[in-house]
Amino acid sequence: MSRLRRQVNANTTNVVETKNLTDIKAKTGNLYESIAIIAKRANQINISLKEELHNKLEEFASHTDSLEEIHENKEQIEISKAYERMPNPALLATQEFMDEKIYYRKNDDDLFK
């Protein structure tokens, strides 16, 4: 099992919960900056999950599909269903951000000065 899947199974639910915006803002001092950090992390999680899923499904790939082979790929269907049941990457990223598990830094150069 991958590191990301272990992390997903650890403490994140698949249910969307409302978050207090002041708590999110308090982490960086700026709500939009916090949301940008969460969005970037969600994109990273999404890319890694997609790569992991494609790698696992590549094992079942066959270049000649017949009707019999399509019905016999129950393992492939189970893998796909397991990934569908996983929490949304945005939920994972938000949970990581609130638990302070995301490393981020500010650029010292202010472009608009």
Side-chain angles (χ1 to χ4, degrees), residues 3-113:
R3 183 179 65 87
L4 186 59
R5 288 205 43 181
R6 275 180 273 155
Q7 174 187 349
V8 167
N9 294 335
N11 61 357
T12 306
T13 63
N14 204 8
V15 179
V16 177
E17 299 174 354
T18 58
K19 302 288 183 190
N20 190 349
L21 293 180
T22 55
D23 293 342
I24 294 173
K25 179 184 173 184
K27 303 284 184 183
T28 61
N30 186 340
L31 178 63
Y32 300 106
E33 185 178 348
S34 297
I35 291 173
I37 292 168
I38 292 170
K40 288 179 182 182
R41 177 62 182 142
N43 191 27
Q44 290 173 345
I45 292 171
N46 189 33
I47 289 169
S48 64
L49 282 174
K50 191 181 294 186
E51 287 175 356
E52 185 178 317
L53 176 62
H54 285 295
N55 289 338
K56 287 187 178 187
L57 293 179
E58 189 70 28
E59 298 172 7
F60 299 103
S62 64
H63 300 293
T64 57
D65 288 336
S66 68
L67 190 58
E68 295 168 359
E69 290 176 355
I70 292 173
H71 291 294
E72 292 177 358
N73 286 336
K74 293 185 181 194
E75 296 162 346
Q76 183 179 2
I77 293 169
E78 289 300 318
I79 291 172
S80 297
K81 285 183 180 180
Y83 275 87
E84 287 176 4
R85 286 189 297 264
M86 292 174 69
N88 187 320
L91 294 175
L92 293 171
T94 304
Q95 186 65 39
E96 286 181 0
F97 184 75
M98 297 306 289
D99 293 341
E100 297 180 358
K101 294 180 179 177
I102 297 176
Y103 170 76
Y104 60 92
R105 62 182 179 162
K106 279 186 148 181
N107 191 358
D108 293 333
D109 299 333
D110 189 3
L111 299 176
F112 300 108
K113 281 190 177 181

